[in-house]
Amino acid sequence: MAPREAPALRVAEAQETVLNAVRPIGTETIDLVSALWRVLAEDVVAIRSIPPADNSAMDGYAVRIADVAAATPERPVILPVSEVVPAGKRARAPLEPGHAVKIMTGAPMPEGADTVVRVEHTDGGTERVTIERAPEPGENVRRAGEDIEAGDVVLAAGTLLRPAELGLLASVNRPRVLVTVRPRVAILATGDEVADLGHPDAALEDRVLDANSYSLAGQVLEAGGVPLLLGVARDDRRVIGERIEAGLRADVLVTSGGVSVGDYDYVREVLDRLGLERLFWKVMIRPGGPLAFGLLGGRPVFCLPGNPVASMVTAELFLRPALRKMLGHPNVARETVVATLTEPISARKGYRTFVRAVLRRERGERIVSSTGPQGSGILRSMSRANALIVVPEDVERYEAGARVEVMRLE
Amino acid sequence: MAPREAPALRVAEAQETVLNAVRPIGTETIDLVSALWRVLAEDVVAIRSIPPADNSAMDGYAVRIADVAAATPERPVILPVSEVVPAGKRARAPLEPGHAVKIMTGAPMPEGADTVVRVEHTDGGTERVTIERAPEPGENVRRAGEDIEAGDVVLAAGTLLRPAELGLLASVNRPRVLVTVRPRVAILATGDEVADLGHPDAALEDRVLDANSYSLAGQVLEAGGVPLLLGVARDDRRVIGERIEAGLRADVLVTSGGVSVGDYDYVREVLDRLGLERLFWKVMIRPGGPLAFGLLGGRPVFCLPGNPVASMVTAELFLRPALRKMLGHPNVARETVVATLTEPISARKGYRTFVRAVLRRERGERIVSSTGPQGSGILRSMSRANALIVVPEDVERYEAGARVEVMRLE
């Protein structure tokens, strides 16, 4: 058995250790549609105002308010139409007093005009127009710079790009933007008892299929990373060494299984040989099991438990925040809320326990229930869960009705 | 001006009309990692139980409970180790009474053994083992079928595939799965006043840049569809006709701009000529403007307003639920919650109004504020927003402190 120098950390300390050890890995320029859900890596400055000039917010007639202020359905105002301006064009001449210019939504206001009468409040005429309703002064005019002033920082570095931000970037003529690079995350499953999907060994009764590589790949994608599946390495010093070295081409390495106290676990040995700077090797977490983190050539290395649920829970708590920080993401942590527990739950003192749970709303109140058996091999409970109940280290039992902290998984 | 036969629908009626008109478009088989966030289109049945046989949940010693029940640190029980079973192997012989078999996590239980003593509660011996703590009967044993029984439907058609579901599908040896097809959504911007990003016209002062194609592309991706950008068509019967016909190669067509009462709008004319079955042409919504929906050869066609914010809001309310239904997604609608309003807001009676807003939490309570000026061209307010306040048709004003319905956008 390998020596065990490092003390076990509490979850919060271990999370802090991970976040302190990782940093953004770089930036790249990509096209705007591909930038959805990416994190902006530059301050985007507007090179001109939006709108660039006062323009019409409606299809209608540009007028001077003084000429139409008295219009009513009973006593409409009739004005000669001096010009009809199509969309994308501008009036050739300034608006003379006592005249109207027919314009389209978005057209620049003719010089001298201050207000737009909506076409619905007129007869729509092109030679002369009958105006049946007086607008407010300045009504239906969008002012130059109303949305964005030239020189404004439209979006700052660190902004998450959602659909509205893509539109905003388009509106300042940015077909490509600088964003942070998505970390590539190599995922290695280990263990002679684990078989890869579709492998002939998968049919053997004493093998379990490699669920972890796939749930971890999903978690990596969800966090914004790019998963690279290295497959399953059997418990063999040479095979594990080769796979881990292959994994070091990525930005992050994640292993699952193979760091227990078992005699046949070579992951730790290989990582030590390669020069892993160990930052922790054990965390007081349930479900957990062996859980290690360190740096290898500056690259974060996570050794997660082989148990499928423990692998997912520890990836949520340690891998996801790390990837978010590497992305410069504004939200590193999952949202937590307070909810009322429907049943008692027990936990082991000294450990922070995460109970798979269903969070729902009943008559405006948040209610949370465990998904049932928490035997840590039961992946189905993770599938039913939309949240994790967080039981702090000093709590051994919550009664039904307790107000508890819940981490949302969606 | 074109005739306007159809009456204006209320938002709820229009949403129902859209949902009744669309249906899932098909299924495809894809690899498991690519299936994240897709919707399963088959019932997945387990062909064998998981675990396939009783096995050890820990590294330790398989024993009969009767032999170790009396073990304490002061009076340990010492048993001969009849076999050491590596991971991925099984014991060669049944466990004789009064003996122990050293096994690894995941190894099948030897015949005759009923309990596992964790290695931490022993001296780890391989010839004989000193056991210092009595386990509970059956402790540390995972039962055959504990997670999944052969023949169980592991996941039903219609399930959204999250990371846990990928793991679950892997655990039943499904490297590929049948999922619903992502609708391809052709997006066309129209209007002589609109210029495409990077186009020489983009520099002209009287042009606005095409923000809508990009915000809509983001919304389509977010809803689960695949955007196809058709670019900007100028207000020309022939050009618009060609682009719309190109767009009909997709599963859904979305236009923005070009269905107002303006004289230069050809979108409606072209769609009518192609045989659009109009289902509605006007909706009582703010921000809105002209908003149409129909079917062309069974294909949903959405004509959204040209105003960038109105385009986003109407896409949220009509396009997104349609795409979700086409995907067979379990959640067609956005989550709505109730929150306390921080300031008065006014709305136009008869219209359902959606106010861009910031939803936040203060001392456990949900608080919502408008993002400020709601001038419908102000895309920046959409970028600041994480929610929309819903003002029903019969409300003209909410006072500060009112409890209001809020649609979350994230």
Side-chain angles (χ1 to χ4, degrees), chain A residues 196-219:
Chain A
D196 208 349
L197 306 204
H199 190 279
D201 284 357
L204 299 177
E205 245 216 353
D206 46 8
R207 301 297 165 92
V208 294
L209 282 153
D210 173 25
N212 293 3
S213 291
Y214 296 89
S215 54
L216 286 169
Q219 291 179 291

Side-chain angles (χ1 to χ4, degrees), chain B residues 139-404:
Chain B
E139 198 172 339
N140 303 321
V141 178
R142 294 181 63 220
R143 298 289 166 200
E146 183 179 292
D147 202 347
I148 294 161
E149 296 267 14
D152 277 2
V153 173
V154 176
L155 290 174
T159 302
L160 179 66
L161 301 178
R162 302 169 307 152
E165 283 76 27
L166 300 192
L168 203 46
L169 289 166
S171 73
V172 296
N173 208 8
R174 293 297 302 266
R176 285 170 299 283
V177 283
L178 191 72
V179 295
T180 60
V181 166
R182 297 172 66 188
R184 288 165 307 154
V185 182
I187 298 170
L188 177 64
T190 66
D192 282 346
E193 76 283 15
V194 183
D196 208 348
L197 306 202
H199 191 279
D201 285 356
L204 299 177
E205 244 216 353
D206 47 7
R207 299 300 164 90
V208 293
L209 281 154
D210 174 25
N212 293 3
S213 292
Y214 296 89
S215 54
L216 286 169
Q219 291 180 290
V220 165
L221 284 167
E222 217 177 59
V226 180
L228 306 174
L229 270 66
L230 301 175
V232 181
R234 66 172 195 274
D235 283 328
D236 174 293
R237 201 175 271 108
R238 194 185 52 78
V239 173
I240 290 178
E242 282 170 8
R243 298 288 181 96
I244 285 182
E245 291 189 56
L248 294 178
R249 287 186 310 233
D251 303 304
V252 177
L253 173 66
V254 177
T255 70
S256 74
V259 284
S260 80
V261 297
D263 297 358
Y264 300 89
D265 296 330
Y266 296 113
V267 169
R268 179 176 174 161
E269 191 185 312
V270 166
L271 288 171
D272 282 347
R273 175 172 59 76
L274 291 171
L276 181 76
E277 178 194 347
R278 280 190 230 161
L279 294 171
F280 59 79
W281 204 258
K282 201 167 190 308
V283 179
M284 303 299 277
I285 180 173
R286 285 288 154 95
L291 172 61
F293 174 72
L295 294 172
L296 194 48
R299 222 174 263 96
V301 176
F302 296 83
C303 300
L304 306 184
N307 174 285
V309 171
S311 158
M312 282 202 74
V313 169
T314 53
E316 268 301 320
L317 290 165
F318 300 101
L319 177 59
R320 179 184 165 92
L323 295 179
R324 291 278 172 146
K325 185 172 174 204
M326 293 173 83
L327 280 160
H329 201 288
N331 302 314
V332 164
R334 289 276 197 190
E335 187 189 6
T336 66
V337 297
V338 173
T340 303
L341 188 61
T342 58
E343 81 231 66
I345 52 177
S346 297
R348 180 150 162 208
K349 202 161 177 170
Y351 288 78
R352 180 161 291 209
T353 302
F354 295 85
V355 178
R356 280 98 73 197
V358 177
L359 178 67
R360 63 189 191 283
R361 188 170 289 285
E362 267 177 25
R363 279 169 264 106
E365 208 199 346
R366 284 215 177 84
I367 304 288
V368 69
S369 310
S370 137
T371 54
Q374 297 279 315
S376 63
I378 301 187
L379 193 55
R380 245 201 301 193
S381 67
M382 198 73 198
S383 165
R384 273 194 296 269
N386 63 6
L388 296 171
I389 300 168
V390 184
V391 187
E393 288 82 353
D394 56 353
V395 173
E396 270 183 288
R397 188 177 164 84
Y398 278 128
E399 301 302 332
R403 299 280 288 163
V404 296

Side-chain angles (χ1 to χ4, degrees), chain A residues 63-137:
Chain A
V63 296
R64 293 166 189 262
I65 184 66
D67 292 333
V68 298
T72 63
E74 296 73 33
R75 298 175 145 257
V77 168
I78 299 176
L79 297 178
V81 175
S82 55
E83 223 179 299
V84 176
V85 182
K89 300 276 186 261
R90 50 171 57 237
R92 285 180 301 268
L95 177 72
E96 299 297 327
H99 289 69
V101 167
K102 186 168 189 183
I103 63 177
M104 307 292 293
T105 304
M109 292 292 285
E111 208 184 311
D114 53 34
T115 300
V116 171
V117 182
R118 305 168 62 145
V119 73
E120 293 91 332
H121 299 158
T122 73
D123 66 351
T126 53
E127 305 254 310
R128 62 176 50 78
V129 59
T130 304
I131 293 168
E132 299 176 337
R133 203 156 128 178
E136 299 291 320

Side-chain angles (χ1 to χ4, degrees), chain B residues 41-57:
Chain B
E42 58 174 332
D43 288 342
V44 173
V45 174
I47 55 169
R48 61 176 193 179
S49 296
I50 298 178
D54 290 359
N55 67 71
S56 178

Side-chain angles (χ1 to χ4, degrees), chain A residues 316-396:
Chain A
E316 269 301 319
L317 291 164
F318 301 100
L319 177 60
R320 178 185 165 93
L323 295 178
R324 291 276 171 148
K325 185 172 175 205
M326 294 173 84
L327 280 160
H329 201 287
N331 301 313
V332 164
R334 290 277 196 188
E335 187 188 8
T336 66
V337 297
V338 173
T340 303
L341 188 61
T342 58
E343 80 233 63
I345 52 177
S346 298
R348 184 155 159 204
K349 201 160 179 171
Y351 288 79
R352 180 160 289 208
T353 302
F354 295 85
V355 178
R356 282 96 76 195
V358 177
L359 178 66
R360 62 189 191 283
R361 188 168 288 285
E362 266 177 27
R363 276 167 266 107
E365 209 200 347
R366 284 215 178 84
I367 304 289
V368 68
S369 310
S370 138
T371 55
Q374 298 276 318
S376 64
I378 301 187
L379 193 55
R380 243 197 308 192
S381 67
M382 199 73 198
S383 165
R384 274 194 297 268
N386 62 7
L388 295 171
I389 300 167
V390 184
V391 186
E393 288 82 352
D394 56 353
V395 173
E396 271 183 291

Side-chain angles (χ1 to χ4, degrees), chain B residues 20-211:
Chain B
N20 285 337
V22 303
R23 46 193 51 79
I25 51 177
T27 60
E28 61 180 324
T29 298
I30 61 173
D31 78 274
L32 199 46
V33 174
S34 306
L36 185 71
W37 298 121
R38 299 290 291 265
V39 177
L40 195 62
E42 58 174 332
D43 288 342
V44 173
V45 174
I47 55 169
R48 61 176 193 179
S49 296
I50 298 178
D54 290 359
N55 67 71
S56 178
M58 294 285 168
D59 294 345
Y61 295 82
V63 296
R64 291 166 192 261
I65 184 66
D67 292 333
V68 297
T72 63
E74 297 72 32
R75 299 177 146 254
V77 169
I78 300 175
L79 297 179
V81 176
S82 55
E83 225 179 299
V84 176
V85 183
K89 298 277 187 267
R90 49 171 59 239
R92 286 180 302 268
L95 176 73
E96 298 298 327
H99 288 71
V101 168
K102 186 168 190 185
I103 62 176
M104 309 291 294
T105 304
M109 293 290 284
E111 208 184 310
D114 53 35
T115 300
V116 171
V117 181
R118 304 168 63 146
V119 72
E120 293 90 334
H121 300 158
T122 73
D123 66 350
T126 53
E127 304 255 307
R128 63 175 52 78
V129 59
T130 304
I131 294 167
E132 298 175 338
R133 203 157 128 178
E136 299 291 318
E139 198 172 339
N140 303 321
V141 178
R142 294 181 63 220
R143 298 289 166 200
E146 183 179 292
D147 202 347
I148 294 161
E149 296 267 14
D152 277 2
V153 173
V154 176
L155 290 174
T159 302
L160 179 66
L161 301 178
R162 302 169 307 152
E165 283 76 27
L166 300 192
L168 203 46
L169 289 166
S171 73
V172 296
N173 208 8
R174 293 297 302 266
R176 285 170 299 283
V177 283
L178 191 72
V179 295
T180 60
V181 166
R182 297 172 66 188
R184 288 165 307 154
V185 182
I187 298 170
L188 177 64
T190 66
D192 282 346
E193 76 283 15
V194 183
D196 208 348
L197 306 202
H199 191 279
D201 285 356
L204 299 177
E205 244 216 353
D206 47 7
R207 299 300 164 90
V208 293
L209 281 154
D210 174 25

